[in-house]
Amino acid sequence: MVFDLNLIKKLYAAMPARVDAARKSLGRPLTLAEKILYSHLWEGLAPVDFKRGKDYVDFGPDRVAMQDATAQMALLQFDTTGRKKVAVPSTVHCDHLIVAKNEGKADLSKAVADNEEVYNFLASISNKYGIGFWKPGAGIIHQVVLENYAFPGGMMIGTDSHTVNAGGLGMVAIGVGGADACDVMAGLSWELLMPQLIGVKLTGKLNGWTSPKDVILKVAGILTVKGGTNAIVEYFGEGATNMSCTGKGTICNMGAEIGATTSTFGYDESMRRYLEATGRKEVAIAADQIKEYLTGDPEVYAQPEKYFDRVIEINLSELEPHLNGPFTPDLATPISQMKEEAAKNGWPTKVEVGLIGSCTNSSYEDISRAVSLAKQVAQKGLKTKAEFTITPGSELVRYTIERDGFLDTFSKIGARVFANACGPCIGMWDRMGAEKQERNTIVHSFNRNFAKRADGNPNTLAFVASPELVTALAIAGDLTFNPITDTLINEKGEAVKLDPPSGDELPQKGFAVEDAGYQAPAEDGSKVQVDVKEDSKRLQLLYPFAAWEGTDLNGLKLLIKAKGKCTTDHISMAGPWLKFRGHLDNISNNMLIGAVNFFNDKTDLVKNQLTGAYGPVPATQRAYKAAGIGSIVVGDENYGEGSSREHAAMEPRHLGVRVVLVKSFARIHETNLKKQGMLALTFANKEDYNKIQEDDAIDIVGLTSFAPGKPLEVTLKHSNGSTVTIHANHSYNAQQIEWFKAGGALNVIRKQFAR
């Protein structure tokens, strides 16, 4: 089945004229990212040379994708808009709520039983509003999107930060919060800060042990977790065209780990091959007809320094396999240096578990290269030293690799195959012994490795690598093993060396599947009932947040001054909390429980200024709310890094936090806070972070004249009676200020549809 073919053909018919008009208006050649952005300007918006990083621009995305954890809140919001049907093609993918424990079939069956209420809700509300529904077991959202919906030159938003995976098929695909998705599904424009452009020129060709994963691991080391914020990363050069489409997807996927708005590649033969292999030859034919519009102009790639804000060059022929981590995905270490780094940092070198798969690395090519190493275990008389697991990205891939004997090969080395779902990558891993919180090392081919993320153990050191390197390290059981130079001792006492991995880009016999897991919506959903029980612990209907009271915010209590890295995992943990993603009040009991309190270096222990006692963050905030007192959260750099989960913004809003004041924000989280009617502010002087004291009462002054580009005053009233005034910047434009005044963007939408 080819989805959205008419939509794609319509876009392609209009794209050349739109791109030509933009090129003429700007008076210069265009990058691929610019071609896609300008061809998706909101209807009636003329192409002008928008200032990168400064101008907010309205766009019209082609489609919306949602995973089951975030779809609950997104669709609960959409249900309040008054729309009868989504305005653009949209899908829901059930991949986040399945716990990995035993093996795929058993884990899936348990998840279906445990989450029946939520799955029924998502299926029924999708059916009602014309949304495609992918059942539990169908696969991970990003892999399923790449196989079915992504297309060159398209624009998509998705309620997951790794929506960017679709850049591997030449899209501008961007992770957003549910409120943004709600806007687009309601037929409204979508606003984005015009991104800066980072060009990555790839020369040479990958060989031996090096894979596409190593490209993004290298880039993460260069740019760090915030170096791509408010930027699109565009890859080009002979190295890019020499790479598989799914390899490009891996690189784009982990672009979320550098904070990038998205990443993308120009249309080429690898994309054509992938489209044809996944049953979309008609899309490839249509793309071929306008292929010069689906990549950057030649002049751009000939002189990239003239057209990109920053250019990075990587020679793939010289690139070395990398291991990134622990605890952050940008700590990049070439494998040849791992022995030295592990010794210097005291990292445990025994690898306990190797995990491959996930939305980042579960393509047929990834698995086939890993299986080429698994075959060598028997051939060379070895035994796998570490536990080893595989998480297929989709039923299409799982069925195909089973047909081709890959799963049998993995079984022979003692591997377990988990369900086609996110599993350990997002903390949905019921790992035996994790509760002991022992210090240990794991290696995986996922994208993130924050503390506690995989198994809930803060002492698990997780290192990110390619599936090939993960497999080799699992066989060796040693973090410092370098398969390029080192040997292993087999069962006969012989020194043997692993041969470099090899595999097929696409299955020689084609993809196959019996039931991909897709459920089409009803043609007319007007009679479909969406049932949410009043006493449900999993689902809760939403009610509008209160509008701004029209005054400055005075007497706010400091809830917490977060120290160091504070990701969305710290603000709203996943793992066992995922089951409450559709119930705002219940999930708010995890608000900021992972953030480190600056004043005592502890998590989930803050001072209640009403009583003087120390207690959990959510309970303290509920006490402030009950007393009718607003509060403020203070944070460090890149606050809200990580997942797109808007719960990290909705929970503070629901519990009465009014302001988040930080040194800097991650892009998606800042937008989510704005959408929910919060004040998202940054220190004008970052050193002022040090002036915040534990017992402070804080006033935000200047809101009655709140305007774009105009800083606000922040008055700190210390417990000793002294007062300090500092300044806070913001990035609100006129429309976003209206969201704040209305109590949230959704309140503005409701008014529009109520007319």
Side-chain angles (χ1 to χ4, degrees), residues 346-668:
W347 296 332
T349 58
K350 180 186 177 185
V351 174
E352 302 289 346
V353 191
L355 308 98
I356 66 169
S358 85
C359 67
T360 320
N361 278 111
S362 58
S363 67
Y364 186 89
E365 180 181 40
D366 289 330
I367 305 301
S368 68
R369 284 172 63 85
V371 88
S372 74
L373 297 170
K375 289 177 180 177
Q376 295 180 49
V377 173
Q379 293 169 355
K380 298 180 183 291
L382 297 166
K383 279 192 176 180
T384 307
K385 298 290 180 62
E387 185 182 342
F388 190 61
T389 72
I390 300 99
T391 304
S394 71
E395 177 59 12
L396 181 73
V397 167
R398 190 213 63 79
Y399 188 94
T400 304
I401 63 174
E402 181 178 39
R403 178 203 66 189
D404 291 349
F406 293 177
L407 296 187
D408 284 341
T409 300
F410 284 131
S411 178
K412 289 173 183 175
I413 67 167
R416 281 188 296 162
V417 180
F418 289 141
N420 312 324
C422 298
C425 184
I426 60 161
M428 296 296 278
W429 181 21
D430 189 356
R431 183 185 178 191
M432 186 178 296
E435 71 282 356
K436 298 176 184 176
Q437 298 200 355
E438 295 173 335
R439 197 161 186 261
N440 74 106
T441 289
I442 66 173
V443 291
H444 61 58
S445 67
F446 308 156
N447 39 48
R448 291 189 176 140
N449 56 351
F450 303 139
K452 297 186 179 182
R453 183 169 175 91
D455 62 3
N457 178 3
N459 299 313
T460 292
L461 284 69
F463 293 84
V464 183
S466 67
E468 302 95 311
L469 189 56
V470 169
T471 306
L473 295 180
I475 293 170
D478 185 352
L479 186 69
T480 67
F481 174 68
N482 182 352
I484 300 172
T485 58
D486 297 349
T487 58
L488 297 170
I489 304 300
N490 68 10
E491 296 293 290
K492 297 179 182 178
E494 302 166 334
V496 296
K497 194 175 181 186
L498 293 175
D499 299 325
S502 61
D504 294 322
E505 175 185 326
L506 297 163
Q508 295 181 11
K509 293 186 285 186
F511 285 108
V513 69
E514 287 184 349
D515 178 9
Y518 176 69
Q519 182 175 299
E523 286 293 325
D524 179 7
S526 60
K527 294 182 174 59
V528 176
Q529 295 297 314
V530 178
D531 182 25
V532 177
K533 299 174 184 176
E534 286 188 17
D535 61 348
S536 173
K537 299 293 188 291
R538 301 287 302 269
L539 299 163
Q540 181 186 47
L541 294 176
L542 294 178
Y543 298 94
F545 290 129
W548 172 54
E549 52 268 70
T551 63
D552 290 337
L553 300 181
N554 297 315
L556 302 178
K557 300 295 186 185
L558 176 67
L559 176 62
I560 187 172
K561 179 178 175 179
K563 179 181 178 181
K565 188 183 284 286
C566 191
T567 72
T568 50
D569 277 24
H570 296 90
I571 305 167
S572 175
M573 288 186 176
W577 291 95
L578 280 175
K579 61 178 174 285
F580 297 125
R581 283 286 179 88
H583 197 295
L584 182 54
D585 193 58
N586 281 347
I587 199 171
S588 293
N589 288 322
N590 79 357
M591 185 190 73
L592 284 159
I593 63 176
V596 176
N597 184 355
F598 178 90
F599 299 106
N600 58 17
D601 283 328
K602 296 182 183 299
T603 59
D604 202 24
L605 192 68
V606 296
K607 187 174 184 179
N608 182 332
Q609 292 192 42
L610 301 179
T611 65
Y614 285 82
V617 181
T620 303
Q621 180 55 40
R622 286 186 187 276
Y624 293 150
K625 183 178 182 180
I629 299 171
S631 65
I632 180 171
V633 170
V634 172
D636 214 316
E637 295 280 10
N638 207 30
Y639 183 87
E641 169 192 344
S643 300
S644 68
R645 65 190 68 154
E646 65 183 336
H647 297 77
M650 294 187 77
E651 291 172 31
R653 181 73 167 102
H654 171 65
L655 291 184
V657 176
R658 303 298 301 274
V659 182
V660 180
L661 172 63
V662 301
K663 293 181 181 178
S664 65
F665 282 106
R667 176 190 64 84
I668 299 177

Side-chain angles (χ1 to χ4, degrees), residues 35-48:
K35 290 181 180 181
I36 299 175
L37 291 171
Y38 279 99
S39 62
H40 285 84
L41 291 177
W42 186 244
E43 187 176 354
L45 191 60
V48 298

Side-chain angles (χ1 to χ4, degrees), residues 166-186:
L169 249 176
M171 289 195 94
V172 161
I174 301 174
V176 299
D180 278 349
C182 186
D183 284 359
V184 175
M185 290 189 293

Side-chain angles (χ1 to χ4, degrees), residues 726-743:
I726 62 175
H727 290 88
N729 295 329
H730 65 84
S731 61
Y732 286 76
N733 60 25
Q735 177 176 275
Q736 293 166 348
I737 290 173
E738 291 306 309
W739 298 344
F740 168 74
K741 291 179 177 179

Side-chain angles (χ1 to χ4, degrees), residues 124-347:
S124 64
I125 200 167
S126 296
N127 203 24
K128 182 177 182 66
Y129 292 119
I131 298 168
F133 181 72
W134 289 82
K135 297 179 289 187
I140 306 173
I141 175 174
H142 313 301
Q143 182 73 18
V144 173
V145 164
L146 197 71
E147 294 168 355
N148 294 276
Y149 299 110
F151 65 93
M155 174 182 271
M156 177 178 70
I157 62 170
T159 59
D160 189 283
S161 56
H162 293 103
T163 298
V164 294
N165 188 80
L169 249 176
M171 289 195 94
V172 161
I174 301 174
V176 299
D180 278 349
C182 186
D183 284 359
V184 175
M185 290 189 293
L188 304 178
S189 62
W190 174 63
E191 182 186 71
L192 177 71
L193 185 68
M194 195 66 174
Q196 293 190 314
L197 301 176
I198 298 174
V200 180
K201 182 178 182 180
L202 302 179
T203 62
K205 188 174 183 178
L206 294 168
N207 59 80
W209 283 92
T210 311
S211 77
K213 184 64 164 275
D214 297 304
V215 176
I216 186 58
L217 295 179
K218 174 75 171 178
V219 170
I222 295 170
L223 289 177
T224 77
V225 291
K226 64 176 185 176
T229 302
N230 292 324
I232 291 180
V233 182
E234 184 171 325
Y235 293 84
F236 62 94
E238 61 172 343
T241 55
N242 286 334
M243 197 180 295
S244 69
C245 175
T246 52
K248 294 177 173 71
T250 292
I251 292 171
C252 293
N253 181 292
M254 267 197 74
E257 273 51 73
I258 58 173
T261 301
T262 193
S263 305
T264 195
F265 286 78
Y267 177 64
D268 61 16
E269 283 301 309
S270 73
M271 295 184 191
R272 178 181 232 289
R273 292 192 297 271
Y274 187 74
L275 286 168
E276 291 189 355
T278 50
R280 293 174 286 171
K281 185 175 182 179
E282 299 99 320
V283 177
I285 292 171
D288 284 343
Q289 294 172 356
I290 62 160
K291 59 185 179 182
E292 66 270 25
Y293 291 94
L294 300 176
T295 189
D297 286 332
E299 300 94 326
V300 169
Y301 297 153
Q303 293 182 289
E305 294 80 5
K306 288 180 62 177
Y307 304 100
F308 291 100
D309 298 293
R310 179 175 179 178
V311 178
I312 297 167
E313 185 167 340
I314 298 174
N315 185 341
L316 302 185
S317 301
E318 299 174 354
L319 184 64
E320 188 177 344
H322 277 61
L323 273 168
N324 283 29
F327 303 129
T328 185
D330 61 346
L331 182 56
T333 304
I335 188 61
S336 63
Q337 298 175 25
M338 180 50 72
K339 187 172 294 186
E340 178 185 346
E341 289 298 310
K344 183 171 68 177
N345 292 284
W347 296 332

